[in-house]
Amino acid sequence: METFNTYFTKLRNKDIDFVDIPLGEDLEAFICPFLIENNKHSNPVSLEVYERVHQFLIKLNRDFIKPNKRNEGIEFLSHLHEPNEYHLGYSDRNKGKAVSDVRAEVIYDALRNNSLAKQNIAITNEAHFVLLLVKGIGQDIMSDIIANVCRDIFAELTLKICKKHKVSTISAKIEFYNAITTKWEKKSADLPNFAGKSIILLPKFIISGGRAYSNLYNWFIARNYLAFEILNRKKPLSSDGKFIFKLKNGTRKAIVKKIYQAYRKPKDELIEFVKKFNGSLDEFVWYAKEHYPELNLDDLR
């Protein structure tokens, strides 16, 4: 398979500081808002991307979702085209649910139907919490949102990589969201080109595989909150016994797998956990930072 590196740079794997995308197809990987959040204090690119997407979501929620201005909101979101220049996402046969013609409606309706977004609660101004809590916005759609909103940021990074490795570029028009003017704008950018199509590269540390963060949050709640609740309940419920086993020394342990299976919630009901266990979202971000690092791209070669 021809990749950016094998065609343009021919670097050793350990020297590649970008996502080495295949040129003839898409890499099943995604820009991950949890990894952006995790790296925003240590990496300037992550911070810039975080702030841009944050401002985009503030405008979307404040100006269109809360006042229920559907037509205007869909027009605002209609600029989220399929970001093919990144070569990320599902293969062509799997892209049906997020094609450009319906993506704006999918995103608007998903947020409008979410109770937190309708109440203008700040949680839905954070991309990683939108991914976690808003039914209908999965990792593929969120990745595409970030790719479109921050296209100029990633284009600048791509040019730096090309200059560093002496890769030729061609001027191309790109569209991005300007957080200062709060409008979609176009500009020229110098980008590498393959088979007549522009390429935009991404840093490795914000790329993830197809994770279902709702499942991971369910497990986190089962392990760190529900298990503690069951073990320390002053008035045990009749069902509590099946979630506990005793060691020979009498120590009681929670069976997290059974708790997870019994109490896990679908994505659109996770808000109940958020409301019940105050602080669990912020704790989950730190937990995710330690337990769900960026994708090991070597496994995909």
Side-chain angles (χ1 to χ4, degrees), residues 24-230:
E25 57 188 80
D26 289 343
L27 184 69
E28 192 166 320
F30 308 93
I31 305 171
C32 179
F34 272 95
L35 295 178
I36 292 168
E37 168 68 19
N38 290 346
N39 286 282
K40 71 180 184 182
H41 296 302
S42 59
N43 186 278
V45 173
S46 281
L47 179 59
E48 188 176 8
V49 170
Y50 166 80
E51 290 178 342
R52 174 76 64 81
V53 177
H54 182 60
Q55 291 302 316
F56 172 81
L57 290 173
I58 287 175
K59 180 173 178 64
L60 174 60
N61 286 312
R62 181 193 62 210
D63 293 358
F64 306 115
I65 301 299
K66 187 182 180 184
N68 197 21
K69 294 183 177 179
R70 190 173 190 273
N71 291 337
E72 295 93 331
I74 289 174
E75 170 60 29
F76 179 69
L77 292 166
S78 67
H79 296 263
L80 298 173
H81 305 297
E82 197 74 58
N84 296 317
E85 63 268 49
Y86 293 90
H87 288 257
L88 293 184
Y90 295 117
S91 62
D92 290 338
R93 65 181 181 277
N94 292 326
K95 286 185 175 178
K97 69 177 181 180
V99 294
S100 298
D101 290 344
V102 300
R103 181 186 283 108
E105 294 185 22
V106 168
I107 296 168
Y108 184 90
D109 292 340
L111 282 166
R112 180 60 193 170
N113 292 330
N114 183 272
S115 62
L116 295 176
K118 283 193 289 187
Q119 295 170 48
N120 200 31
I121 294 175
I123 285 174
T124 54
N125 292 332
E126 304 287 347
H128 51 297
F129 292 146
V130 170
L131 174 61
L132 176 64
L133 299 172
V134 179
K135 182 181 180 181
I137 299 182
Q139 194 132 5
D140 54 341
I141 290 180
M142 180 52 71
S143 179
D144 285 356
I145 291 172
I146 298 170
N148 277 279
V149 168
C150 302
R151 187 177 276 108
D152 61 319
I153 298 173
F154 296 130
E156 287 182 22
L157 177 67
T158 300
L159 182 58
K160 289 180 181 178
I161 293 170
C162 288
K163 286 182 176 179
K164 178 180 178 180
H165 300 296
K166 297 180 174 57
V167 176
S168 61
T169 58
I170 298 174
S171 181
K173 285 285 185 183
I174 61 169
E175 188 174 41
F176 65 99
Y177 177 70
N178 187 325
I180 297 174
T181 64
T182 68
K183 294 179 180 179
W184 289 94
E185 296 180 3
K186 292 183 178 180
K187 63 181 287 188
S188 294
D190 293 330
L191 296 171
N193 191 287
F194 178 79
K197 296 179 180 179
S198 297
I199 295 170
I200 295 180
L201 300 172
L202 292 163
K204 291 180 177 180
F205 55 81
I206 63 170
I207 300 301
S208 171
R211 293 176 181 145
Y213 277 97
S214 57
N215 292 337
L216 302 177
Y217 181 63
N218 267 303
W219 181 266
F220 174 80
I221 291 294
R223 181 178 182 272
N224 296 279
Y225 287 89
L226 294 175
F228 180 83
E229 209 175 57
I230 291 170

Side-chain angles (χ1 to χ4, degrees), residues 113-116 132-135 214 217-218 221 262-277:
N113 292 330
N114 183 272
S115 62
L116 295 176
L132 176 64
L133 299 172
V134 179
K135 182 181 180 181
S214 57
Y217 181 63
N218 267 303
I221 291 294
Y263 289 99
R264 69 183 304 276
K265 295 181 181 297
K267 188 171 183 176
D268 54 331
E269 295 178 17
L270 286 177
I271 292 170
E272 295 176 24
F273 282 152
V274 174
K275 292 178 178 178
K276 181 176 181 180
F277 300 115

